[in-house]
Each structure stands twice: as structure tokens, then as C-alpha cells.
Amino acid sequence: MLEKKIEDIEIQLLLEGLYQRYHYDFRHYAWASVKRRLKQAREQMGFRSFSALQESLLHDPGMLGRLLGYLTIQVSEMFRDPSYFRAIREKVVPHLRTYPSLKVWIAGCSSGEELYSFVILFREEGLEQRTLFYATDINQDALGKAEAGIYDLDRIQMFTENHRKSGGKSSLSDYYSAAYGKASFDKSLRRQVVFSDHSLVTDAVFAEMHLVSCRNVLIYFDRDLQDRALGLFKDSLTRKGFLGLGSKESMRFSNHADSFADCVREEKIYQKRTE
Amino acid sequence: MGTSAEAIVIGASAGAVEALSVILPSLPADYEVPMLIVVHVPPDNKGILAQLFQAKCNIEVREAEDKEPISDGTAYFAPPDYHLLVEPDKSLSLSSDAPVLFSRPSVDVLFESAADAYGADLIAIVLTGANEDGAEGLRAVADAGGTIIVQSPEGAYASAMPAAAIAACPNARVMSLEEIAAYLQDVEKT
Ligand SMILES: C[S@@+](CC[C@H](N)C(=O)[O-])C[C@H]1O[C@@H](n2cnc3c(N)ncnc32)[C@H](O)[C@@H]1O
């Protein structure tokens, strides 16, 4: 029991060191998963203790990228949860059509699968030209992959199936070219996109949005941090703007619950109240 | 004097529904100990387990939600395609981290986080299944001083999972489903 406690102290010190040295703040991420992932990092990188890992991290900047790879989870799919994108298409797009110009923020965009899903959907609905998309993440590798838009060909079948289930009006194959086991998405899909390094933990609001989609990011945060991020979304959304969360994320346990109304309840799509 | 525990964690795979049908419906409506359950199910299986057992059980049965405080007398199922973990403040959290031993939800992930949160006040049970998930987690529970139980492989629909758990934890109590049900009925909330 005593040994366990020491390990927890070491992990807290490691996270504190990571923050003070590199300004990446994982101190309020959901503890149980952070601990699991740091254990994996420690074992796979061959450190005897978290203190040893911390020492190396503080003195060798090259360790930062490796550790971030463990601490941020890069699991994504195009049109992940097709029913979510169907609801965006059927319930949110009709409202968005009434605006002459639009801003959409994909927060925690990972390697870009969610972003491309939105751009394709907006192109199909004739809204792409009037929309500016912001795609943000804290993981540089992931942002690089998002900008490249190249995915393994063996994932395309699932993406295609998801796209079809989401009510897709075109064929996904219209948007990529395949070569050498990779599918490379067309650069025209990036014309309206700004990629940027932005943390929901330490950075501020940067533009007024009509739609924010932040999926499967908040589950990694503790409740205080979820509140901070939801506050950020609230402040950046325009009057009656829309917020979409992941299928297992909800506003239920948050202080901001009163600022949002359900738009499509089952899909975790909310609309900002007018006050 | 019966045993007491702050929580019970259960892991099951192939044959899980039949096995849990012997255990969960046998618990009375005023049963207090919360239960956290991982069953391996296909990712697109939309949370029907909780519904199925809610209909059969006296206790409250729900699918776990992220950051939900754990309530007494409630059995929580991990949602399909998410890991279920226990936080130190005894709330639940979900994660879409990579599958562990090809499984998401993973029994090991639940058991290890629960061992951390509850220490010795935990009962962990590995039931039927055709893989080795749960063995590592059961050892973590044992190391933290918790009580560990495994369904006897001979009576199990699939014996690999309980057999792996026993190999990893030779001190585990091995019981039939009926014995496990009777044992749990006597457990009180710490
Ligand atoms: C599981 S992925 C989700 C990807 C995509 N949104 C989806 O649902 O398919 C989580 C992403 O959140 C990012 N992330 C983690 N902490 C973050 C933070 N503080 N600010 C912004 N993004 C963060 C990770 O780098 C990762 O790319």
C-alpha cells in the first residue's frame, strides 16, 4: 500500500515537471487513464521509476514528443458514429444555411479524420465555400498528419461505410487518390481550413464560432477541466451556436449545463441558449 | 459475520449473459454494494446489456456514463467500445484508448484502476470467456489486498479466461456460478 502511494507522488511530480518545463498541462486529466498510460511509457521506455523518467524528461527535450505520444490518444475515424454526422446534416445544417458566412471549430482534431468528414459534409450541402474551419490539437505529430490528409488504404472501407451510413450524398472515392497502400485526400478539401496548435487547458477563445465539434477529448479530462473547456466553447459560440460532443460525453455533470439546450439529445448535440 | 466490500468488479466474455443471469437477478432490491461490469461485446452493440439486465434484476442496472459518481446499489456496465475505469474519488471514467488484448472494454483496465481506487475493500470476479483478459487485473486486485474469485473453468461456458486467471492468481477462490451468487448475497457495503 505504501509503495503505491509513492508511485502516485512520483506521477504528480512528473506531471508538474512537464508543466513547468514545457507548459503542457496534464495535471487535471482523468487520473486513472493518465496513470495507465504513464505506466506503459515507463515500462516501454525502460525506466526503473517515474522519478527516473522525470529526470530524463526535464533534461532532454527529445523526450517530450515521445511522452506526449503516450499521453495523448490518437484514435479516430472518418464519420465516426455515422448517426452523429447524419444529425448534423439533418438538424444543424438547415440552421447554418441561414448565415452568409460560417466558422466551424474542430477541437482536438487528432490526425484530421473528423475534420475531413465535416469538410466533405459541408461540400455536399453546398456550405463549404462560405465556411472557415479551424482544426486544433496539442499534438504536433497529429496536426502534421491532419494537414497531410494521408491514411492507410485499409481503413478506407470503414470510412466509406461510415460515410454512407451518415447520409453521404457523394462517393468518398471522389475525394482521395490511392497509391502504394495509402489514400491521399484532395488538397482542395484544405482550402478553407486553418490548422493550429491550441490547448483546451491553457489557451483562450480565438474566434466566434457557429459550430464547435469536440469529440472524445473531454472524456480524458477531470470534471474541473471539462468545465473549463465547456466554458471556452460557450464563450466562443455565437448566439444560438451549436456544440457537438462525443457519444459518451455529456453536459450532465457540468456547471455549464444551464447555458445549453439539447438540440439532438441522443447525439450529444447542444445549442447555446440566448441567456 | 459476512464479508464487506466497497465495490465489486466483474469481467466476462463468451457466455457472459448466461453467467451473469445466474448472479445479478439473485441480488435483492436493497443490495448496497455497487458493481462494475465489463463484458466483451462487439463495438456496434448499442448498450443492450444494461437494458436486458435492468428488466431481469431487482437492483438498478445502467450503462456507465463518463464522470458519473458511483451510486450504491447500482450495477454499471461498460459501454461497448470504451474502457471503463474508476477514479480515486470513486467516480467512473471512460476512455477510447487502444484495445488491450484485443478488447475494449478491457477487464484488466477496469480491475487495475479499481484496485488502485479501492485497495483491499474490493471483490473482483473473473467469469467465463475464451481469452486471457482479466488475469493481470485480478493479480493487481490481489496485490492491493482485495478478494479475488474465479468461476470454476469446468463449469464455465468457455474455460480459457477463468483458467488464465487461476494460473495468474493461484490463491483465487474458485467457485461455481451458484456459489458466487450465494457468496455475493452475503456481502455488505463497507
Ligand atoms: C481520441 S482523439 C479524438 C479525435 C477526434 N476528435 C475523434 O473524435 O475522432 C483525442 C485528441 O484530443 C487531443 N487533446 C488532448 N488534450 C488536448 C487539449 N488539452 N487541447 C486540445 N486537444 C487535446 C489529443 O491530442 C487527441 O488528438
Side-chain angles (χ1 to χ4, degrees), chain A residues 1 4 30-33 35-37 73 75 80 216 218-223 226 247-248 250 252-253, chain B residues 63 65-69 79 82 85-88 91 93-98 100 104 109 113 116 119 144:
Chain A
M1 229 28 225
K4 276 259 171 61
W31 174 259
S33 329
K35 182 167 177 176
R36 244 196 90 242
R37 279 180 252 134
I73 299 310
V75 184
R80 180 181 195 168
N216 307 301
L218 297 188
I219 36 172
Y220 296 105
F221 294 178
D222 76 8
R223 233 186 289 177
Q226 289 191 348
S247 62
K248 293 295 159 197
S250 87
R252 236 181 81 196
F253 306 107
Chain B
E63 185 162 294
E65 284 194 47
D66 184 48
K67 304 290 147 20
E68 177 170 9
Y82 286 83
L85 301 96
V86 185
E87 294 294 328
S91 63
S93 63
L94 303 177
S95 105
S96 50
D97 282 20
V100 177
R104 187 171 59 204
V109 169
S113 66
D116 240 27

Side-chain angles (χ1 to χ4, degrees), chain B residues 75-142:
Chain B
Y76 298 90
F77 278 92
D81 213 22
Y82 286 83
H83 293 302
L84 172 65
L85 301 96
V86 185
E87 294 294 328
D89 70 355
K90 319 285 158 67
S91 63
L92 297 170
S93 63
L94 303 177
S95 105
S96 50
D97 282 20
V100 177
L101 299 175
F102 309 103
S103 306
R104 187 171 59 204
S106 142
V107 180
D108 284 339
V109 169
L110 170 66
F111 282 17
E112 283 166 17
S113 66
D116 240 27
Y118 292 110
D121 281 329
L122 180 69
I123 297 172
I125 307 172
V126 173
L127 300 175
T128 170
N131 52 65
E132 303 199 339
D133 190 16
E136 284 279 319
L138 201 67
R139 187 154 50 198
V141 174

Side-chain angles (χ1 to χ4, degrees), chain A residues 29 72-77 80 107-110 114 137-139 142 198-201 215-217 220-221, chain B residues 96:
Chain A
Y29 279 48
T72 62
I73 299 310
Q74 309 302 330
V75 184
S76 195
E77 278 170 30
R80 180 181 195 168
C109 67
S110 187
E114 184 185 354
D137 204 283
I138 55 168
N139 187 306
H198 180 280
S199 169
L200 297 170
V201 182
R215 312 197 69 217
N216 307 301
V217 182
Y220 296 105
F221 294 178
Chain B
S96 50

Side-chain angles (χ1 to χ4, degrees), chain A residues 53-108:
Chain A
L53 174 56
Q54 179 192 319
E55 183 183 8
S56 165
L57 176 70
L58 290 179
H59 296 284
D60 174 7
M63 287 291 295
L64 175 63
R66 293 179 67 194
L67 200 65
L68 287 182
Y70 283 98
L71 281 170
T72 62
I73 299 310
Q74 309 302 330
V75 184
S76 195
E77 278 170 30
M78 284 181 82
F79 297 95
R80 180 181 195 168
D81 308 314
S83 55
Y84 172 79
F85 288 93
R86 184 179 279 275
I88 294 280
R89 195 188 292 277
E90 291 172 358
K91 301 281 161 49
V92 178
V93 161
H95 291 272
L96 297 181
R97 274 190 206 296
T98 62
Y99 295 94
S101 73
L102 292 166
K103 286 186 174 145
V104 174
W105 180 13
I106 314 299

